[in-house]
Amino acid sequence: MAKCGSCGPGYKTPLDAMRGPREEIVYVPCIYRNTDIQKPDYLATVDVDPSSATYCQVIHRLPMPNLRDELHHSGWNACSSCHGDATKRRDRLILPALISSRVYVVDVGTDARAPRLHKIVEPTDLYWRCGLANPHTSHCLGSGQVMISCMGDPSGNGKGGFVLLDGETFEVIGNWEQPGDAAPFGYDFWYQPRHNVLISTEWGAPKALANGFNPEDVKAGLYGRRLNVWDWTTHRRVQSLDLGEEGAIPLEVRFLHDPAAPQGFVGCALHAAVFRFYKTQKGDWAAEKVIKVPNKKVEGWILPEMPGLITDILISLDDRFLYFSNWLHGDIRQYDITNPREPRLVGQVFLGGSIVGDGPVRVLEDKELEKQPPPRVVKGKQVQGGPQMIQLSLDGRRLYVTTSLYSGWDKQFYPSMVKEGSVMLQVDVDTVKGGLTLNENFLVDFGREPDGPVLAHEVRYPGGDCSSDIWL
């Protein structure tokens, strides 16, 4: 992290962040919900320093005090949006629980390698103060407050609103959005004050997706397909961009890191499409499809066609490369986005998935591959599941990958992973010409945890990263 007399957390610019120190530890939420193990979820600290004696090992576990929380994504009390404020420190990890609707605040400042629980925001605070539930994405604001997007109301219906927390006490302040302006569904969000905008995405109604995926729920309108555009100043929802059938279930949304850039990308899970959104000359916002991963015709699967299921996307800090994971097909892709309207595929690597050659699925027609990829074995461990959450090192040279999406869907699509535990892998990135290569010497096997196999999800660095830091 930057050190100077007048600087707060993070870095002055994204390019400054690229010159930051190499990651030595990462934080990974580990989930027991929907497994046979009745233990609390926990936050794992993983050693990723190649010179360390505990490299590729979990060196600390912070269990939550409750069962079946479904820890999912995390954020910070302060990030690069507060870089100009020397009174701020990035020392609290905000850890929302997707199903229980608790928000855990974790102290990572006292001992970064051994986090401790600082505070619990109970579900009733979200229910009664905000009429919201199922918190997902947490971002710190330049004001010092913390903002968390929510997916539903307390009854499990879809409702896309935002909870504000005090950045010092972590008490619930109230809703960010104006009364009556909540979106039909919620999920992820990103804000860009220079363009007076916040853009949020839509997963689905929590009661529909809680225990698995049913295609009939899509037909019933219980999943989203819109980008919701909000006025950053007035907190009003001013536009809803319907992405159509190919834009169903838009999940992770990423603006370019340059705070002056009026555009970004969103990965749409159900039909494996990436849309570019952008500010028009009129000053409103529009979206266009720029990447489509073809379905594969298959037999031995639940449907006759298998989508890629894009579940996470990232943009490198220099805004040159876009990465995303196809959780079902089993590959990670790297695109050169020097021309954002025409992304160019420059790297691809297969890490498990549902179409591996020794699996039960037979591919009948494939518009991209000549044969099914072989199973991926790392240090003697066959990867169960497919690549899901991805996190890029600050310098852009290492991509960390975990295989668990969400316990209810893991259990449905990859029951072997629920039984054997997920893994964390590392992919080496060619940042000159493009290209992805699995690091065969890196494996964190969450199937060997002390209380039994666990589902490991998002990867977060103590010093911030390209999916948690926003520049103003």
Side-chain angles (χ1 to χ4, degrees):
M1 295 173 62
K3 301 292 183 182
C4 67
S6 60
C7 292
Y11 303 88
K12 185 177 181 180
T13 70
L15 295 182
D16 286 340
M18 292 191 77
R19 295 188 287 269
R22 177 176 173 139
E23 65 284 355
E24 296 180 352
I25 58 171
V26 297
Y27 302 126
V28 184
C30 295
I31 294 90
Y32 274 124
R33 180 177 170 268
N34 272 312
T35 73
D36 293 331
I37 299 170
Q38 296 298 307
K39 292 285 186 177
D41 298 348
Y42 58 93
L43 182 69
T45 306
V46 180
D47 188 333
V48 295
D49 180 359
S51 66
S52 171
T54 53
Y55 181 52
C56 288
Q57 295 180 29
V58 177
I59 59 174
H60 185 267
R61 298 167 186 87
L62 174 66
M64 300 300 114
N66 301 283
L67 295 174
R68 293 180 288 276
D69 278 316
E70 189 87 38
L71 300 180
H72 199 61
H73 288 199
S74 62
W76 293 106
N77 65 315
C79 74
S80 292
S81 65
C82 302
H83 181 68
D85 187 346
T87 68
K88 298 287 189 270
R89 291 183 62 220
R90 194 197 310 255
D91 58 2
R92 298 291 185 269
L93 187 69
I94 314 300
L95 193 53
L98 192 61
I99 295 300
S100 72
S101 295
R102 292 183 180 90
V103 179
Y104 295 103
V105 180
V106 177
D107 174 4
V108 297
T110 303
D111 184 349
R113 300 176 74 86
R116 60 191 70 179
L117 194 58
H118 175 72
K119 182 183 176 67
I120 303 174
V121 180
E122 294 293 348
T124 49
D125 292 334
L126 273 63
Y127 300 165
W128 297 346
R129 298 288 301 274
C130 302
L132 293 170
N134 309 102
H136 184 268
T137 297
S138 172
H139 278 302
C140 61
L141 309 185
S143 65
Q145 295 175 329
V146 173
M147 185 166 161
I148 306 174
S149 60
C150 291
M151 291 176 52
D153 67 14
S155 298
N157 303 302
K159 186 179 181 182
F162 306 89
V163 171
L164 283 176
L165 302 183
D166 183 282
E168 300 292 335
T169 66
F170 304 103
E171 296 291 326
V172 174
I173 297 171
N175 298 72
W176 178 83
E177 76 279 5
Q178 295 289 350
D181 262 8
F185 302 102
Y187 185 68
D188 194 23
F189 76 101
W190 198 281
Y191 63 88
Q192 195 57 282
R194 293 197 193 184
H195 297 285
N196 193 39
V197 71
L198 178 150
I199 292 182
S200 64
T201 61
E202 302 182 335
W203 186 0
K207 64 183 179 183
L209 58 86
N211 294 307
F213 175 72
N214 184 346
E216 294 302 315
D217 288 335
V218 178
K219 298 177 184 177
L222 295 176
Y223 283 88
R225 65 182 212 181
R226 295 173 179 83
L227 294 181
N228 292 295
V229 182
W230 306 75
D231 185 296
W232 181 245
T233 303
T234 66
H235 306 184
R236 290 283 184 188
R237 185 158 59 99
V238 293
Q239 266 188 281
S240 287
L241 304 177
D242 190 333
L243 302 179
E245 184 177 347
E246 286 193 309
I249 313 184
L251 295 181
E252 311 302 333
V253 60
R254 314 293 187 199
F255 265 92
L256 295 183
H257 295 288
D258 177 356
Q263 61 182 317
F265 297 88
V266 60
C268 301
L270 189 57
H271 296 284
V274 175
F275 282 73
R276 168 185 171 259
F277 58 87
Y278 58 96
K279 193 174 186 178
T280 72
Q281 290 184 341
K282 294 190 301 180
D284 61 355
W285 293 79
E288 60 180 356
K289 183 182 67 178
V290 292
I291 300 171
K292 177 70 172 75
V293 177
N295 288 356
K296 300 181 190 297
K297 291 186 178 180
V298 297
E299 65 178 13
W301 198 61
I302 58 174
L303 296 171
E305 290 197 11
M306 183 190 293
L309 206 78
I310 295 175
T311 51
D312 196 14
I313 68 170
L314 288 179
I315 298 174
S316 61
L317 286 168
D318 57 4
D319 291 334
R320 184 181 170 198
F321 293 114
L322 170 75
Y323 301 85
F324 66 76
S325 55
N326 283 309
W327 190 57
L328 291 178
H329 288 177
D331 60 316
I332 293 176
R333 302 187 182 206
Q334 177 192 26
Y335 287 80
D336 186 318
I337 54 169
T338 305
N339 179 355
R341 298 196 67 179
E342 296 182 0
R344 183 169 55 89
L345 181 64
V346 293
Q348 184 178 26
V349 62
F350 278 84
L351 305 171
S354 294
I355 60 167
V356 291
D358 70 342
V361 176
R362 180 174 171 231
V363 178
L364 304 177
E365 182 181 316
D366 194 325
K367 296 180 180 178
E368 295 184 316
L369 302 177
E370 294 183 358
K371 61 180 181 178
Q372 294 177 232
R376 178 65 77 171
V377 178
V378 185
K379 300 182 77 171
K381 167 84 171 183
Q382 181 167 339
V383 175
Q384 305 296 330
Q388 206 287 112
M389 292 306 296
I390 53 178
Q391 186 59 265
L392 190 65
S393 61
L394 295 179
D395 61 11
R397 295 176 181 174
R398 292 168 300 284
L399 194 68
Y400 294 93
V401 185
T402 55
T403 50
S404 167
L405 168 60
Y406 162 69
S407 69
W409 289 21
D410 292 351
K411 188 175 182 179
Q412 180 178 4
F413 291 101
Y414 291 116
S416 59
M417 180 175 63
V418 175
K419 181 180 179 181
E420 297 184 24
S422 64
V423 297
M424 185 166 115
L425 307 171
Q426 186 193 98
V427 174
D428 294 327
V429 180
D430 184 334
T431 58
V432 179
K433 297 179 180 179
L436 302 176
T437 308
L438 179 66
N439 181 343
E440 300 283 355
N441 295 314
F442 185 100
L443 172 72
V444 183
D445 184 357
F446 288 96
R448 303 181 67 179
E449 285 294 272
D451 287 328
V454 72
L455 302 169
H457 192 58
E458 189 191 45
V459 177
R460 186 69 73 209
Y461 305 142
D465 45 61
C466 64
S467 60
S468 65
D469 274 34
I470 293 177
W471 280 267
L472 305 183

